Amino acid sequence: MPDERLRLQEFGFQRLADGRCRAKIILTWSDGRRFEGSSDGVSSQTGELRCCAMAAVNALEQAVQPRLTFELLGVKAVRAFDATVVIVSLSARAEATTRLVGSCLTETDPPRGAALAVLNATNRLLGNYLATR
């Protein structure tokens, strides 16, 4: 059985001259399907994390629409055990609402870590969902 989960194929992040930022993410499924998400935000530590997490959420929603939706409830980078951990909280809605939490350990790229934390939170749920489509 192939590895049944979405993979981060491309991650792009830019800080713009006008004090904003932009993220673009491409996810792939094992059968070759590609899902693209993007987001714009405010260029600050919190704004950049939120922008990248939202781009990941938007790509995920491309993969599962219209039967499953996500809401980004929060994203935060914290120092723990001499490392930076990006943590996200999501709500997933289908027939019922499920609360998801994901994390990613990162030292050099917290914005990318925010996108990976979204995948960490959702991969088990999405693996089951996409495998049955």
Side-chain angles (χ1 to χ4, degrees), residues 4-49:
E4 295 291 333
R5 66 180 185 169
L6 286 165
R7 297 251 179 218
L8 180 64
Q9 180 177 342
E10 290 181 33
F11 173 81
F13 176 72
Q14 317 176 269
R15 289 178 185 91
L16 306 173
D18 64 356
R20 300 199 44 86
C21 61
R22 178 172 297 135
K24 178 182 171 187
I25 294 183
I26 297 176
L27 303 175
T28 57
W29 185 245
S30 57
D31 65 6
R33 287 180 283 172
R34 293 169 46 102
F35 310 100
E36 184 177 318
S38 61
S39 182
D40 293 333
V42 176
S43 203
S44 67
Q45 180 182 5
T46 302
E48 291 174 3
L49 295 177

Side-chain angles (χ1 to χ4, degrees), residues 13-91:
F13 176 72
Q14 317 176 269
R15 289 178 185 91
L16 306 173
D18 64 356
R20 300 199 44 86
C21 61
R22 178 172 297 135
K24 178 182 171 187
I25 294 183
I26 297 176
L27 303 175
T28 57
W29 185 245
S30 57
D31 65 6
R33 287 180 283 172
R34 293 169 46 102
F35 310 100
E36 184 177 318
S38 61
S39 182
D40 293 333
V42 176
S43 203
S44 67
Q45 180 182 5
T46 302
E48 291 174 3
L49 295 177
R50 186 163 191 81
C51 177
C52 293
M54 278 305 304
V57 167
N58 292 337
L60 289 171
E61 286 190 331
Q62 294 293 315
V64 297
Q65 67 177 314
R67 294 184 282 170
L68 185 60
T69 61
F70 295 99
E71 179 183 355
L72 179 63
L73 302 174
V75 58
K76 185 171 189 161
V78 296
R79 289 291 295 170
F81 310 111
D82 296 324
T84 300
V85 180
V86 180
I87 303 168
V88 298
S89 176
L90 300 162
S91 171

